[in-house]
Amino acid sequence: VIALGGGLFGLIGTAFAESPCDPDFVTPSENVFTVLPTGLDDTANIQCAFDAAVAFGSGAEVHLAAGDFHTAQIVVNDFYGAFTGEGLGESVIMNLPDLYVTPVDMYLDPPSVNNPWPSLFAFVNGDFSISDLAIHVTGDDGTTGWTIFGISPPITELAHAIVILGEKADVVINAVSIEGETASNSWLGYNLLNGILFEGFIGAVPPPLSGSFQVHNSSFRRIGSGTPVANVSDAQIKIYHNTFEEVLYGLDAADFANSS
């Protein structure tokens, strides 16, 4: 296994263009933006709910109702709130197939409509929590194919279910399930390389990420690396009371400065 930047792949983001909310499936109520599943493509509604929550400011909540959600890449900048579901077996997020990713070295620029990354949820900076939901990555070909650092052949796995990047982020993750699948064409054996990554990785010479990262009471299954951490400074990391099953690395970590 090749460790790159401490995690298997460190990726990052800025927000996709704002997309309209469907009022039948996105319901605002004070500081809570509730998203209902459509049964089809929920990307626009989830992204719109996050855009609205960021615009609301501190204390906003994006809440997924019970059901199965299908999404492409979601990117959120400067989120100060909570991302919640109805429970591990109730609010389940799944990837749409064959997501387009910039084919070569997308990490040199943040993700956008014109530079999509192989990350299902990318959070850049902020102070937020994620709880009571599940992410299931399905299918042998999650992406259209990409490569970084000259790795060949093109990779079709998703790099992350959730990635936290930027220069300062405080994140608490509780009661979240991340699960991939075995994949015959995967060089690691699974269709998901990282579960939840906390890393400074913006550009060719990325500044470190500071803040705090907690993951507890969560589960990781059929993934290359469960909770990788890398390139952090002045950070406090707490990863405890989690379950790892069929995971190559529960935690792989590197490049810590003034951190615990």
Side-chain angles (χ1 to χ4, degrees), residues 9 101 118 143-148 151-159 187 193:
F9 291 97
V101 174
T143 74
T144 55
W146 52 278
T147 184
I148 59 175
I151 294 174
S152 180
I155 304 159
T156 58
E157 299 94 306
L158 276 171
W187 59 292
L193 301 180

Side-chain angles (χ1 to χ4, degrees), residues 98-114:
D98 301 314
L99 299 177
Y100 178 75
V101 174
T102 297
V104 179
D105 290 344
M106 77 293 294
Y107 69 93
L108 296 175
D109 294 296
S112 67
V113 170
N114 296 319

